[in-house]
């Protein structure tokens, strides 16, 4: 069995960080694209015409692509991490979506939401510290 160093950077610590950044980016971008796609489609009733419009909407297609990509990245992450640590770390997607909504969509973010971001980050830091022990 080869060690992580001989298998390249993807299998080491840097690879794990890259996979997490990719997961958070794909999940966040997918959620934002879903919002944009839904807004572009407007208020439509659930009909065959609506379903056809959804299937060809670029924002929705991009969101589906992000979801598929995120699924495969998540599988790679789970191969190298325990689920009990990885799943809570995935809450960083909430932070990514909030930042994307604020920066990309111009949404107003309340102080309470920013406090929530701080709590998520503090919780992840506690989990990571507990994992090292």
């Amino acid at each position: 069995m080869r060690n992580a160093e001989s298998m390249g950077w993807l299998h080491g610590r840097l690879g794990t960080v890259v996979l997490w950044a990719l997961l958070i980016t794909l999940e966040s971008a997918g959620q934002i694209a879903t919002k944009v796609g839904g807004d572009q489609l407007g208020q439509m009733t659930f009909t065959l015409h609506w379903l056809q419009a959804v299937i060809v909407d670029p924002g929705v297609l991009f969101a589906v692509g992000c979801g598929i990509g995120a699924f495969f990245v998540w599988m790679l992450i789970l191969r190298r991490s325990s689920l009990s640590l990885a799943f809570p770390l995935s809450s960083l997607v909430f932070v990514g979506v909030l930042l994307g909504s604020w920066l990309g969509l111009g949404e107003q973010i309340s102080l309470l939401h920013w406090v929530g971001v701080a709590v998520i980050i503090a919780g992840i830091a506690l989990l990571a510290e507990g994992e090292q022990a």
Side-chain angles (χ1 to χ4, degrees), residues 29-95:
Q31 291 300 321
I32 292 166
T34 301
K35 164 71 171 152
V36 170
D39 285 351
Q40 289 173 347
L41 288 169
Q43 296 294 328
M44 297 176 70
T45 58
F46 189 79
T47 62
L48 183 58
H49 176 70
W50 176 83
L51 191 56
Q52 289 170 334
V54 167
I55 290 172
V56 299
D57 182 81
V60 173
L61 292 174
F62 180 76
V64 169
C66 286
I68 292 168
F71 171 78
F72 288 108
V73 172
W74 183 239
M75 288 180 63
L76 293 172
I77 287 171
L78 289 179
R79 287 180 61 196
R80 62 179 70 201
S81 301
S82 65
L83 184 59
S84 61
L85 177 63
F87 191 70
L89 280 172
S90 70
S91 64
L92 284 172
V93 172
F94 292 114
V95 177

Side-chain angles (χ1 to χ4, degrees), residues 74-127:
W74 183 239
M75 288 180 63
L76 293 172
I77 287 171
L78 289 179
R79 287 180 61 196
R80 62 179 70 201
S81 301
S82 65
L83 184 59
S84 61
L85 177 63
F87 191 70
L89 280 172
S90 70
S91 64
L92 284 172
V93 172
F94 292 114
V95 177
V97 170
L98 185 131
L99 289 172
S101 300
W102 179 52
L103 296 171
L105 301 178
E107 292 185 6
Q108 297 297 314
I109 308 300
S110 73
L111 177 60
L112 194 56
H113 281 89
W114 290 116
V115 170
V117 166
V119 169
I120 289 170
I121 291 171
I124 290 169
L126 288 172
L127 284 169

